DNA sequence: GTCTATATTTTGATAGAC
DNA sequence: GTCTATCAAAATATAGAC
């Protein structure tokens, strides 16, 4: 009986299923450990334990710890600007901003490990972010800031510094996922629930929309 | 000529100057390294290098790495609630909030290492914050939230969830110091200057004050 | 592709001379 | 109090059998 290896046609399995799945498992585990410990604080053994693979197998797929770290960054940055898609010139600023805040908070809650990993990398000085990745983020920020500046020019919202405006939204929305212990403690709860994120969305959107003169 | 040791009166120096100064040097260096690397990622050697002392001397003053970490936390928490002092019932909310935002941003800029250390500890799950320290933070947050709730009741500002309101202010103000690479990149600068913090203060206070109906 | 065993380096922590 | 030398444990990374 032919096993799962070399099934059907002889020779190598062209679909490369096993390798792809194991790489995925390693990267998923790595995001979580790196998020909590950073590059220097992370032990390969801990990544191995968390994904149920022997340490040597981790080294079979990635040759150094840094290589895993770099792959994780690459993987994460693909989704960094996703929420920005809501900020378009044709939309009403009121609706666009409200949806943007919800999307960012949603990401912070559902992908807390990724969000913390990114926060950790920034905290350390962003030394592993490539020049190209920084330029990409700059370009996207510039484009969406232009949209806000357009809204201001058209009198659709009060004048604000668009970049500082976005930084404020990032800060307010990332905080709940990244610094959950601090937020939970302030709310006198042991951990945050969906309802807390909803309350956060309400407070942030109310203040921000009112704050730039686009309230209902 | 009598040296600095055992000056004037014989026997031990009762002022214990040397020990105190070295402890200070170690803790100052430790804040910075812990802020960038976290507990697990920090090497005692790096702390020693940064304060110009041999590694063995660090162990003379502190017996384990964790002990240094705990001392740093203790030292930092004494100033955590400092800015809250501006939030008092007798003050005008408009002025109190504006001063609070400036004070937090100032701390974020001038004590970036301390701020990042704290952020790092939260990111890792706040496992080294004692129950007592958490309760202190809860109490202070509760007290100042009551002040905001009082302002709302008196019709001095629009209704907001006071705790989420404070979380938003913490987030917006800490962001610049903690995640400087991200903020600087968004502003297309290599690093933040005092002027950028001023612009941040303007944007935050304008939006927040407008946002809760206490604008000029 | 998987996994045990191990080589090599680094690190937390200590001993003991000054 | 200071500092060199060093131990014991842990970590990165590799070898090589299956």
């Amino acid at each position: 009986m032919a096993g799962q290896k070399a099934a059907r046609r002889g020779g190598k399995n062209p679909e490369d299923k096993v390798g792809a799945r194991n790489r995925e498992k390693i990267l998923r585990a790595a995001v979580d450990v790196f998020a909590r410990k950073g590059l220097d604080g992370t032990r390969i053994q801990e990544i191995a334990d968390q994904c149920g693979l022997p340490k040597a197998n981790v080294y079979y797929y990635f040759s150094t710890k840094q290589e895993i770290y770099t792959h994780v960054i690459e993987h994460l940055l693909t989704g960094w600007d996703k929420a920005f898609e809501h900020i378009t010139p044709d939309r009403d600023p009121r609706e666009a901003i409200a949806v943007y805040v919800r999307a960012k908070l949603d990401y912070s809650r559902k992908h807390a490990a990724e969000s913390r990993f990114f926060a950790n990398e920034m905290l350390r000085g962003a030394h592993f972010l490539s020049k190209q990745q920084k330029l990409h983020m700059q370009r996207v920020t510039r484009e969406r800031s232009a949209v806000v500046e357009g809204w201001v020019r058209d009198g659709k919202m009060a004048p604000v510094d668009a970049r500082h405006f976005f930084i404020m939204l990032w800060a307010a929305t990332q905080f709940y996922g990244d610094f959950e212990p601090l937020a939970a403690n302030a709310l006198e709860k042991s951990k945050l629930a969906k309802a807390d994120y909803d309350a956060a969305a309400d407070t942030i959107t109310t203040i921000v929309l009112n704050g730039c003169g686009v309230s209902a």
Side-chain angles (χ1 to χ4, degrees), chain A:
Chain A
M1 292 172 245
Q4 291 179 325
K5 285 178 185 171
R8 292 258 165 86
R9 19 185 172 188
K12 279 190 285 194
N13 182 350
E15 298 177 47
D16 223 46
K17 277 280 171 53
V18 181
R21 275 190 52 240
N22 278 342
R23 274 170 178 275
E24 264 304 311
K25 278 207 278 187
I26 293 167
L27 289 174
R28 241 203 320 278
V31 171
D32 187 60
V33 183
F34 281 138
R36 283 183 291 111
K37 311 280 186 87
L39 176 62
D40 303 296
T42 291
R43 307 294 98 140
I44 296 284
Q45 186 65 60
E46 203 171 342
I47 294 179
D49 289 346
Q50 187 145 331
C51 65
L53 251 49
K55 191 171 66 165
N57 285 34
V58 174
Y59 276 106
Y60 175 76
Y61 290 105
F62 299 94
S63 54
T64 64
K65 187 161 72 164
Q66 257 207 46
E67 196 188 317
I68 306 179
Y69 195 84
T70 310
H71 270 250
V72 171
I73 289 192
E74 200 70 44
H75 188 260
L76 290 194
L77 266 235
T78 56
W80 181 79
D81 43 10
K82 198 81 189 304
F84 262 140
E85 291 169 9
H86 299 293
I87 308 294
T88 54
D90 55 294
R91 291 185 86 165
D92 177 49
R94 178 180 146 68
E95 186 212 354
I97 294 168
V99 172
Y100 178 75
V101 168
R102 292 273 171 182
K104 288 291 269 185
L105 271 170
D106 235 48
Y107 182 85
S108 183
R109 182 171 64 89
K110 291 181 183 161
H111 305 273
E114 280 92 336
S115 185
R116 284 193 198 116
F117 174 100
F118 192 70
N120 209 320
E121 168 65 11
M122 292 301 130
L123 219 53
R124 280 150 197 275
H127 298 306
F128 295 95
L129 218 63
S130 71
K131 188 71 197 161
Q132 184 192 328
Q133 290 168 328
K134 285 181 189 169
L135 287 174
H136 169 75
M137 292 169 74
Q138 271 184 20
R139 189 173 56 75
V140 173
T141 304
R142 197 186 312 128
E143 285 169 5
R144 304 300 165 160
S145 293
V147 174
V148 169
E149 283 154 9
W151 285 336
V152 170
R153 247 195 321 275
D154 296 348
K156 290 182 180 170
M157 62 182 282
V160 289
D161 183 309
R163 287 162 199 254
H164 285 284
F165 177 70
F166 275 123
I167 289 173
M168 188 173 165
L169 295 185
W170 297 341
T173 53
Q174 285 178 205
F175 195 92
Y176 290 88
D178 293 354
F179 306 125
E180 171 166 0
L182 186 49
N185 196 60
L187 299 172
E188 305 200 30
K189 309 196 167 184
S190 59
K191 75 191 285 287
L192 298 181
K194 172 82 163 63
D196 298 310
Y197 281 85
D198 290 338
D202 283 348
T203 302
I204 296 169
T205 51
T206 297
I207 290 178
V208 170
L209 294 180
N210 246 317
C212 51
V214 293
S215 50

